[in-house]
């Protein structure tokens, strides 16, 4: 989700939102005074919390609903939104504006809460690598710890950036370090490199007079984290990706480029794709701390906000998403049409420094949603099917969609799971939907962790592909 709407209202909007979301959370649990840097996990739970919402009826095609790991207290409030997902072994890690939850998914039909950590922030974008877990903080706070409060744009600035946890024992995650970054961290991307992990931090929406986040902000922050000494993590580079400032404003609903929203890396191919508000970019990441822009594209006719990117397995094609309306609006309607708030499919042509992005086609879910249903293209990943380019993707209240983009000019949906409209006054639907070891896991903002099974024959070959770790923004190849 965009979260930070436009630069001139960035701080006031975020502060108001987070105050609303976390007002109840911080009163629900407490952190022991003797260990202020180590948030206390909630005990395991096997039943929904009292008063938890019952999922409404759903419709589906070529997708079977396997299970729901319902949200647990204190994250079972409507304002405690689930966000992104990461995976390691038999565990799924679910970000939430109040912290994060660890699920045991050894039996996908019975996801079980192992631990919960209360650590409020926007958006708590989450990833894991080895024994380390990373959270993005995209709001000013009084300090780096989980016990900090809303900070506000004071003269000395406030803290926002990346929090790092040790998950050697997933039953007791332990806060170990934090790194402040300019304009915070809306999302982040892990680039493993031997004994180190590089973290590409995407942030945007600077504001005049706000210390640590003033314009121009045409860069990303790169953090180097030594695996054996995460407390030594620090920013090692802040490369400017838009030397000319990127796309300019005054284009109605189209956003001016002032940073990036999300970056996906493909380490084996030494490539990255950046979704940067008004621009889509292709990067050479041969040198992790010094990425180079190879090509840049814009779509001032249909793309309002370049949100995220996914490569195909060969890395000769990439799907960019457009988050028109910021995730809070209903744009999956007949009036909006099939090309706005959609996906754009691009081929990567050429070689070496001559590689370029070439537009091929759009894809948008073919089911119109109700006027009150927030719906737009959001987070997904590649389904490792042999001989096909298939992706699973979240569409908020548009549900979960599976589509085949092997023919980029004729992209076809081959499956979907779509709940009835959420009857409430809050954001709802699938934030992220990712394929992992035979199942699709969807982080439902209101209901919890959905487990789904794709039944379309085109995706059957993916069943045999297994991995030990998945961060959707760090792609790895699979053998066809």
């Amino acid at each position: 989700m965009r979260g930070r709407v436009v630069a001139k209202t960035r701080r006031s909007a975020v502060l108001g939102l987070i105050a609303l979301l976390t007002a109840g959370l911080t009163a629900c649990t407490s952190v022991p005074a003797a260990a202020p840097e180590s948030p206390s996990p909630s005990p395991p739970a096997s039943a929904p919390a009292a008063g938890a919402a019952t999922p409404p009826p759903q419709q589906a095609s070529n997708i079977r609903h396997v299970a729901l790991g319902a949200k647990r207290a204190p994250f079972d409030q409507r304002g405690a939104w689930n966000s992104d997902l990461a995976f390691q072994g038999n565990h799924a890690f679910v970000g939430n504006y109040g912290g994060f939850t660890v699920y045991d998914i050894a039996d996908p039909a019975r996801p079980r809460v192992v631990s919960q950590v209360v650590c409020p922030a926007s958006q708590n974008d989450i990833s894991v690598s080895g024994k380390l877990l990373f959270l993005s903080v995209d709001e000013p706070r009084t300090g780096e710890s989980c016990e900090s409060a809303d900070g506000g744009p004071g003269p000395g600035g406030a803290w926002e950036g990346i929090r790092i946890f040790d998950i050697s024992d997933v039953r007791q995650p332990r806060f170990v370090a934090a790194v402040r970054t300019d304009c915070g961290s809306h999302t982040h991307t892990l680039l493993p490199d031997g004994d180190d992990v590089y973290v590409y931090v995407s942030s945007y929406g600077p504001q005049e007079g706000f210390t640590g986040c003033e314009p121009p902000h045409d860069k990303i922050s790169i953090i180097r984290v030594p695996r054996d000494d995460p407390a030594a993590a620090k920013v090692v580079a802040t490369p400017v990706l838009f030397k000319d400032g990127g796309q300019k404003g005054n284009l109605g609903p189209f956003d001016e480029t002032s940073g990036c929203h999300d970056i996906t890396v493909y380490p084996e191919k030494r490539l990255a794709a950046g979704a940067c508000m008004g621009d889509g970019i292709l990067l050479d990441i041969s040198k992790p701390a010094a990425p180079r822009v190879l090509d840049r594209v814009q779509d001032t006719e249909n793309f309002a906000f370049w949100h995220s990117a996914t490569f195909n397995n060969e890395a000769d094609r990439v799907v960019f998403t457009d988050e028109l309306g910021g995730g809070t609006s209903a744009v999956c309607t007949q009036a909006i049409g099939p090309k706005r708030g959609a996906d754009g499919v691009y081929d990567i042509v050429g070689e070496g420094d001559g590689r370029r992005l070439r537009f091929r086609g759009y894809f948008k879910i073919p089911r119109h949603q109700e006027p009150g249903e927030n719906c737009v293209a959001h987070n997904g990943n590649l389904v490792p099917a042999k001989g096909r380019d298939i992706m699973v993707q979240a569409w908020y209240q548009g549900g979960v969609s599976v589509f085949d983009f092997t023919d980029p000019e004729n992209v076809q949906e081959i499956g979907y799971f779509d709940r009835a409209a959420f009857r409430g006054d809050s954001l709802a639907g699938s934030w992220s939907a990712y394929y992992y070891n035979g199942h699709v896991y969807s982080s439902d903002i209101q209901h919890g962790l959905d487990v789904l099974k794709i039944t379309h024959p085109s995706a059957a070959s993916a069943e045999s592909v297994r991995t030990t770790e998945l961060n959707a923004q760090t792609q790895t190849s699979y053998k066809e």
Side-chain angles (χ1 to χ4, degrees), residues 148-180:
S148 62
D150 297 335
W159 187 91
E160 54 184 330
I162 292 288
R163 287 170 171 155
I164 305 172
F165 293 77
D166 186 314
I167 52 169
S168 300
D169 181 356
V170 294
R171 298 168 299 176
Q172 296 285 333
R174 183 171 57 88
F175 178 82
V176 293
V179 180
R180 180 176 179 169

Side-chain angles (χ1 to χ4, degrees), residues 47-307:
T54 300
Q58 65 256 351
Q59 55 178 327
S61 173
N62 292 322
I63 288 186
R64 177 170 55 88
H65 188 264
V66 175
L68 170 65
K71 291 203 297 184
R72 308 293 198 246
F75 301 156
D76 57 347
Q77 305 171 52
R78 284 189 176 184
W81 300 341
N82 270 355
S83 58
D84 211 1
L85 288 165
F87 302 87
Q88 189 178 87
N90 289 325
H91 294 99
F93 301 82
V94 184
N96 183 284
Y97 275 60
F100 65 91
T101 301
V102 183
Y103 284 89
D104 184 324
I105 54 170
D107 180 357
R110 290 179 171 79
R112 182 177 61 86
V113 173
V114 175
S115 60
Q116 294 189 162
V117 173
V118 174
C119 196
S122 169
Q123 309 177 128
N124 276 336
D125 188 55
I126 193 168
S127 59
V128 294
S129 183
K131 67 177 184 179
L132 300 178
L133 178 147
F134 302 83
L135 288 181
S136 280
V137 177
D138 191 30
E139 54 141 340
R141 301 191 67 83
T142 55
E144 63 186 32
S145 77
C146 292
E147 294 72 46
S148 62
D150 297 335
W159 187 91
E160 54 184 330
I162 292 288
R163 287 170 171 155
I164 305 172
F165 293 77
D166 186 314
I167 52 169
S168 300
D169 181 356
V170 294
R171 298 168 299 176
Q172 296 285 333
R174 183 171 57 88
F175 178 82
V176 293
V179 180
R180 180 176 179 169
T181 57
D182 290 348
C183 291
S185 174
H186 192 71
T187 65
H188 66 268
T189 304
L190 301 188
L191 179 54
D193 186 53
D195 294 334
D196 299 324
V197 179
Y198 286 90
V199 184
Y200 284 12
V201 175
S202 296
S203 57
Y204 59 93
Q207 183 176 334
E208 293 285 357
F210 191 87
T211 304
C213 189
E214 293 183 332
H217 184 74
D218 300 316
K219 62 186 180 182
I220 61 172
S221 296
I222 300 178
I223 300 171
R224 175 181 168 272
V225 185
R227 291 185 183 277
D228 59 356
D229 186 15
K234 64 179 181 179
V235 174
V236 293
T238 54
V240 173
L241 303 181
F242 302 97
K243 299 186 185 302
D244 64 352
Q247 179 170 277
K248 307 305 179 186
N250 303 317
L251 294 172
F254 303 98
D255 283 83
E256 179 176 5
T257 300
S258 61
C260 288
H261 180 278
D262 209 342
I263 294 173
T264 293
V265 297
Y266 202 148
E268 293 169 58
K269 309 292 185 178
R270 298 183 179 181
L271 276 180
C276 303
M277 303 181 73
D279 295 83
I281 58 176
L282 186 68
L283 296 163
D284 182 304
I285 57 169
S286 299
K287 296 180 180 179
R292 293 186 299 111
V293 177
L294 297 173
D295 195 23
R296 191 179 87 188
V297 290
Q298 299 175 349
D299 182 349
T300 56
E301 182 177 353
N302 290 307
F303 258 48
F305 189 91
W306 295 71
H307 176 276

Side-chain angles (χ1 to χ4, degrees), residues 3-22:
R4 304 195 174 199
V5 281
V6 292
K8 64 181 180 181
T9 59
R10 173 183 186 269
R11 296 297 168 171
S12 59
V14 172
L15 284 173
L17 176 64
I18 298 302
L20 174 65
L21 295 180
T22 61

Side-chain angles (χ1 to χ4, degrees), residues 62-66 437-440 451-455 463:
N62 292 322
I63 288 186
R64 177 170 55 88
H65 188 264
V66 175
N437 291 351
H439 289 81
V440 172
V451 186
L452 310 171
K453 189 77 172 179
I454 303 174
T455 59
E463 287 282 340

Side-chain angles (χ1 to χ4, degrees), residues 309-320 343-347 360-363 380-385 387-393 402-414 458 475 478:
T310 302
F311 290 101
N312 67 349
N313 191 50
E314 293 77 17
D316 59 11
R317 185 166 293 154
V318 62
V319 177
F320 287 102
D343 295 322
V345 184
Y346 286 75
D347 279 349
R360 296 298 302 278
Y362 294 105
F363 169 74
N381 77 332
L382 201 64
V383 177
R388 311 295 299 179
D389 290 343
I390 297 176
M391 182 172 170
V392 60
Q393 185 176 21
V402 182
F403 61 91
D404 188 322
F405 62 104
T406 308
D407 179 354
E409 296 178 358
N410 186 33
V411 183
Q412 297 291 319
E413 184 177 64
I414 62 174
S458 294
Q475 284 194 230
Y478 59 89

